[in-house]
Amino acid sequence: MSLESKYNLKSPGVKRLMREAVELANPTEEYFATPLEDNLFEWHFTVRGPSATEFEGGYYHGRILLPSQYPMQPPNIILLTPNGRFEVNKKICLSISGHHPETWQPSWSIRTALLALIAFMPTPSAGTIGSLDYTPDERRILALKSKNWECTTCGKIAEKLENAGKIDAQPELTQEESTLIKQIALKAEEDANRKMVSSEPKIENVTSDEENTLRQRINPTVNTEPVINVETTVQRSNSDKLWTAAIWILITIIVLLIIRRIFLS
Amino acid sequence: MRMGDNNEGGLGTSKDEPQMNQDEMILAQQRQIEKEISDSIPLVGSLEPLESLNKEYLTDTVYLEKVKDLAKKYKFMRRTRPDGNCFFRAFSYANVEILTGKKEEFEEFYKLAENSKNALVELGFQQFTVEDFYDTYMEVLKRIKTAPTVEESKNELHTLFNEQGFSDYMVVYLRLLTSGQLQKEEDFYSCFIEGHRTVADFCHQEVEPMYKESDHIHIIAACAALNTGVRVVYMDRGTGKSCTEHDLPEGCTPTVHLLYRPGHYDILYP
């Protein structure tokens, strides 16, 4: 491999990336990532849209840019396939990517970042920069379209994962990994949480129990409903009822007035 | 959960955002400061006479008085880069430096380090990355241990600890060992953690990430993990003419001596 002659193999960072390249060499059903032929510090990846979400059936391709101090500094993720959740061609900030370097841990890896990205896609975007708030239908359409999306470097991306499931059995998330992903997401959750709280004063009393439930939401294997969402829907439907009632009362009053006028005149 | 609001380093994005937001400016300034520090201060400096401290406090009588007191017990010091990793780097360095030239003790420590990986994996750390840090950690120890003379061992130690890649790997592995120790003896350490954090949360937020500064609890756990004791000499603006000494863990016979000034650790030599 040409990479081996190009880099100082004694450098721990280079060694680490070489290791990761070997570890991730075979595509799994959920993700595939590989370094560019001529640059160990830029990778391209494909992830499958998480099932039972509006991203199901979608294939999302992107770049991973590794800082020269990797793994001391976090990788940056850039999505290239239009997906309706993240802007394309922009660095994404999960709590593990470049904009919060203080929360990144050197013991995490590219695989960790990809798993976190998959788990994070269905979470509400909460209006943050770089996030997109497309409707589920729009996202479904994009998911469908993504099957034919092509990367100028890698070609048709759907094929990268298409065959993977047949070769490898679906790799189970180990206990340690799902805890890890929960940790990562938690940070982002807290952030999202804070934002929701400031815009929705009614949710201010989110207890730590609820926060724990929130943590679980990120784990793709646990199918808990997002607590905050439930609350906002309840709240919304309550206020909807109020409005409906008010409108009906107004209509009744108007009709009564009209009738009175007709009868009086 | 902010996304894509930063284009620093020209990495990745093709379009540059014209407006800089507050966060970016703070980040840029922080990077600038970090760069200045890393350009001017080596990761681990060379041996200096203790009196070199006087230069920092030319007009500060409180500190000058304390340096005088310190000089009664310590002749030399070695500065470390103030990057938030200073305790782990200083402790790691000083600990191995003492072992050079003490064959049996070094051998014993090497064995302790050899056995440390499995304990971490059992605690739930990602095997693949732990192995990565462990391998480099052992490689560094081996290179220092097998150098033909004590002099060369010390040179190797100094060279490796000043190579960012190796040096940071040493720091990460000691952070992992410290985290492992805290989690292994969770019941004991949980009493010292402020707020409503679990020991595991504390480790993920304050111990495992790089550049996070160390507190007493980090030091005690790190000492337990490496089976050694440290004396921390506190020098601050507090009353009295002498520095306060703390042996960690309490009552131990310390081998490593560290100078603590608010926010920073350097190595001391008798």
Side-chain angles (χ1 to χ4, degrees), chain B residues 165-184:
Chain B
F166 286 104
S167 201
D168 283 352
Y169 262 55
M170 299 303 279
V171 169
V172 172
Y173 197 68
L174 184 54
R175 281 182 180 275
L176 291 180
L177 288 177
T178 305
S179 168
Q181 189 68 31
L182 286 165
Q183 292 181 65
K184 202 168 73 186

Side-chain angles (χ1 to χ4, degrees), chain A residues 247-259:
Chain A
I247 289 168
W248 275 113
I249 290 168
L250 274 175
I251 290 176
T252 328
I253 292 171
I254 293 169
V255 169
L256 282 173
L257 283 173
I258 292 171
I259 292 172

Side-chain angles (χ1 to χ4, degrees), chain A residues 83-104:
Chain A
N83 54 80
R85 173 64 182 83
F86 299 112
E87 279 181 50
V88 291
N89 296 316
K90 266 207 166 181
K91 280 191 217 168
I92 293 179
C93 175
L94 306 177
S95 68
I96 57 165
S97 81
H99 298 117
H100 294 284
E102 73 279 9
T103 56
W104 165 262

Side-chain angles (χ1 to χ4, degrees), chain A residues 64-67 70 73-77 92 96-98 104 109-110 113:
Chain A
I64 300 170
L65 301 171
L66 297 141
Y70 183 81
Q73 309 262 317
N76 293 290
I77 295 177
I92 293 179
I96 57 165
S97 81
W104 165 262
S109 63
I110 291 175

Side-chain angles (χ1 to χ4, degrees), chain A:
Chain A
M1 211 162 133
S2 62
L3 285 179
E4 279 165 20
S5 51
K6 195 170 160 186
Y7 296 100
N8 174 11
L9 283 178
K10 289 207 172 119
S11 145
V14 170
K15 247 194 210 169
R16 160 76 174 255
L17 284 172
M18 291 285 193
R19 267 178 183 228
E20 295 207 37
V22 172
E23 202 221 6
L24 297 173
N26 295 319
T28 75
E29 208 167 83
E30 285 167 312
Y31 57 84
F32 177 57
T34 187
L36 294 185
E37 256 171 46
D38 58 346
N39 186 359
L40 187 59
F41 287 82
E42 176 170 351
W43 292 41
H44 277 219
F45 70 90
T46 308
V47 295
R48 186 189 292 275
S51 54
T53 69
E54 58 258 37
F55 304 102
E56 182 164 6
Y59 296 90
Y60 304 97
H61 191 73
R63 303 159 68 200
I64 300 170
L65 301 171
L66 297 141
S68 56
Q69 305 98 314
Y70 183 81
M72 302 304 146
Q73 309 262 317
N76 293 290
I77 295 177
I78 295 169
L79 272 161
L80 299 173
T81 316
N83 54 80
R85 173 64 182 83
F86 299 112
E87 279 181 50
V88 291
N89 296 316
K90 266 207 166 181
K91 280 191 217 168
I92 293 179
C93 175
L94 306 177
S95 68
I96 57 165
S97 81
H99 298 117
H100 294 284
E102 73 279 9
T103 56
W104 165 262
Q105 295 177 19
S107 60
W108 295 347
S109 63
I110 291 175
R111 177 185 148 86
T112 321
L114 291 177
L115 288 171
L117 172 71
I118 298 171
F120 203 72
M121 284 187 81
T123 61
S125 63
T128 43
I129 305 165
S131 255
L132 296 173
D133 224 349
Y134 285 29
T135 64
D137 281 336
E138 287 168 317
R139 287 175 175 173
R140 266 182 216 114
I141 293 168
L142 287 173
L144 217 64
K145 276 190 188 164
S146 71
K147 287 182 183 168
N148 296 316
W149 195 86
E150 279 182 40
C151 169
T152 45
T153 321
C154 313
K156 256 205 155 183
I157 49 139
E159 286 161 13
K160 306 259 172 222
L161 292 179
E162 202 87 283
N163 305 317
K166 288 160 202 155
I167 307 164
D168 289 315
Q170 165 116 19
E172 289 283 316
L173 275 187
T174 62
Q175 178 63 38
E176 91 196 38
E177 273 166 349
S178 56
T179 345
L180 199 62
I181 296 163
K182 268 187 257 171
Q183 274 169 33
I184 298 167
L186 176 66
K187 181 69 187 168
E189 273 307 311
E190 275 177 346
D191 220 329
N193 207 355
R194 220 176 296 132
K195 289 204 167 82
M196 301 280 293
V197 167
S198 58
S199 58
E200 301 272 18
K202 260 205 157 175
I203 321 175
E204 241 160 28
N205 52 351
V206 180
T207 66
S208 57
D209 271 352
E210 282 167 332
E211 272 171 9
N212 284 337
T213 332
L214 278 174
R215 284 176 86 157
Q216 291 185 344
R217 157 146 73 105
I218 287 317
N219 186 348
T221 53
V222 182
N223 247 340
T224 0
E225 270 297 306
V227 170
I228 279 190
N229 269 6
V230 173
E231 286 207 2
T232 39
T233 0
V234 169
Q235 207 185 318
R236 230 175 256 154
S237 64
N238 275 344
S239 61
D240 279 357
K241 270 183 207 155
L242 248 161
W243 276 112
T244 323
I247 289 168
W248 275 113
I249 290 168
L250 274 175
I251 290 176
T252 328
I253 292 171
I254 293 169
V255 169
L256 282 173
L257 283 173
I258 292 171
I259 292 172
R260 198 176 75 142
R261 194 174 174 122
I262 293 169
F263 277 94
L264 284 181
S265 60

Side-chain angles (χ1 to χ4, degrees), chain B residues 143-188:
Chain B
R143 279 169 69 172
I144 297 166
K145 186 168 74 109
T146 52
T149 65
V150 178
E151 188 67 28
E152 279 166 276
S153 279
K154 288 191 172 171
N155 285 343
E156 188 74 4
L157 167 76
H158 198 73
T159 315
L160 288 172
F161 265 79
N162 276 301
E163 247 172 63
Q164 191 88 45
F166 286 104
S167 201
D168 283 352
Y169 262 55
M170 299 303 279
V171 169
V172 172
Y173 197 68
L174 184 54
R175 281 182 180 275
L176 291 180
L177 288 177
T178 305
S179 168
Q181 189 68 31
L182 286 165
Q183 292 181 65
K184 202 168 73 186
E185 290 175 32
E186 194 180 343
D187 292 342
F188 172 70

